[in-house]
Amino acid sequence: MIDSVNFNWKRARAFYMVSLCLYLTLIVTFSNSFSLKNILFTSYSPSNQILEEELIGSSIYLIDIDRILSLYLADPNIEYVTVNKLYPDTLEVTVNKYETLALVVDYRAADPKYYKLYKNSRLVPVEQSERGSFGESFNSLSVINGPLDSNVYGEFVNYFMLLKGTDNSIVTNFTLNGLDLTGTVDSIEVNFTKPENLGKKASAVYRRMQEPCPSMAYSLDIDETTGEVVVVCDI
């Protein structure tokens, strides 16, 4: 009999403790003290306003971080996002956008199409209002004729990323006409021959910037036997 009473008392105490914990959790979760009042954004994004409209006033404990990440990463201009909860009532959203490696202008259609080239080899359309921000001192690629190989933009990414890591001041303006690739590198005329092995050709371009050809013009090609870049200065 005594054992039965002790068991019932322990069970009642356990039930009481669980109920108390649940009650306190609900109080904390839905307390006005933990209601979201501020969202700190590091940069502009159209998703900022959506986030404010949906989350301000809700419990900071119930905010779904994964959903916020999905909302921002649906924008192809955004590389990654970090979200931190600053208790009791603030959310910090850090948005990191892709750096534009080059402006790509496709002249193969009746009306030229403008794109930004990112390091993930993706082309993202340029808004009309953005076009003025790309001047002559910006890397560019003009596509005159095609079709293009599926990996062609990956080749240009290799080129721009390598030069960016060695000398970010070097500006290259490419012209791609079918399989023929030419360009100017800081006003020096360069015949890149084909849009292939552009990573290796970028290294040769950097070396040639240190030792320019007398004619300020040269051609680059790949030796089929050695796989090395061949530089021929124009006469």
Side-chain angles (χ1 to χ4, degrees), residues 31-40 55-61 63 84-92:
S31 169
N32 188 56
S33 299
F34 294 93
S35 175
L36 188 67
K37 299 179 178 63
N38 307 294
I39 304 180
L40 306 178
L55 297 184
I56 292 295
S58 62
S59 172
I60 194 170
Y61 287 102
I63 291 175
N84 294 313
K85 294 181 179 180
L86 306 179
Y87 294 95
D89 60 6
T90 300
L91 198 67
E92 182 183 56

Side-chain angles (χ1 to χ4, degrees), residues 162-212:
L162 191 144
L163 282 185
K164 181 177 181 295
T166 54
D167 187 346
N168 198 33
S169 67
I170 298 175
V171 176
T172 305
N173 303 114
F174 286 107
T175 299
L176 181 59
N177 191 350
L179 294 177
D180 296 325
L181 181 64
T182 58
T184 57
V185 181
D186 287 355
S187 301
I188 299 174
E189 295 183 7
V190 182
N191 183 355
F192 289 87
T193 312
K194 296 179 181 180
E196 300 173 353
N197 297 293
L198 291 184
K200 289 184 176 181
K201 291 176 181 178
S203 297
V205 165
Y206 177 72
R207 290 194 299 269
R208 191 50 54 186
M209 294 297 291
Q210 316 309 311
E211 302 176 9

Side-chain angles (χ1 to χ4, degrees), residues 5 33 45 51-52 59 93 117 126-127 145 150 180-181 190 192 208-211 222:
V5 171
S33 299
S45 169
L51 210 62
E52 287 182 321
S59 172
V93 180
L117 175 63
V126 176
E127 299 293 337
N145 201 356
S150 59
D180 296 325
L181 181 64
V190 182
F192 289 87
R208 191 50 54 186
M209 294 297 291
Q210 316 309 311
E211 302 176 9
I222 300 294

Side-chain angles (χ1 to χ4, degrees), residues 7-38:
F7 174 78
N8 290 333
W9 180 82
K10 289 180 180 179
R11 185 168 62 177
R13 185 175 65 174
F15 176 78
Y16 170 77
M17 293 303 296
V18 170
S19 299
L20 179 61
C21 290
L22 179 61
Y23 175 71
L24 293 176
T25 299
L26 290 174
I27 290 178
V28 171
T29 300
F30 295 101
S31 169
N32 188 56
S33 299
F34 294 93
S35 175
L36 188 67
K37 299 179 178 63
N38 307 294

Side-chain angles (χ1 to χ4, degrees), residues 59-130:
S59 172
I60 194 170
Y61 287 102
L62 299 180
I63 291 175
D64 186 347
I65 300 296
D66 289 337
R67 184 187 174 283
I68 296 175
L69 297 179
S70 298
L71 175 66
Y72 279 93
L73 294 178
D75 183 345
N77 296 289
I78 295 177
E79 183 175 4
Y80 64 93
V81 180
T82 56
V83 180
N84 294 313
K85 294 181 179 180
L86 306 179
Y87 294 95
D89 60 6
T90 300
L91 198 67
E92 182 183 56
V93 180
T94 303
V95 177
N96 295 273
K97 297 182 179 181
Y98 279 109
E99 179 184 0
T100 302
L101 297 178
L103 172 68
V104 177
V105 185
D106 192 342
Y107 292 98
R108 293 176 295 173
D111 296 320
K113 298 182 183 299
Y114 294 79
Y115 302 95
K116 292 174 285 188
L117 175 63
Y118 293 147
K119 67 180 181 181
N120 61 354
S121 302
R122 187 169 184 174
L123 294 181
V124 176
V126 176
E127 299 293 337
Q128 182 73 36
S129 58
E130 292 182 276

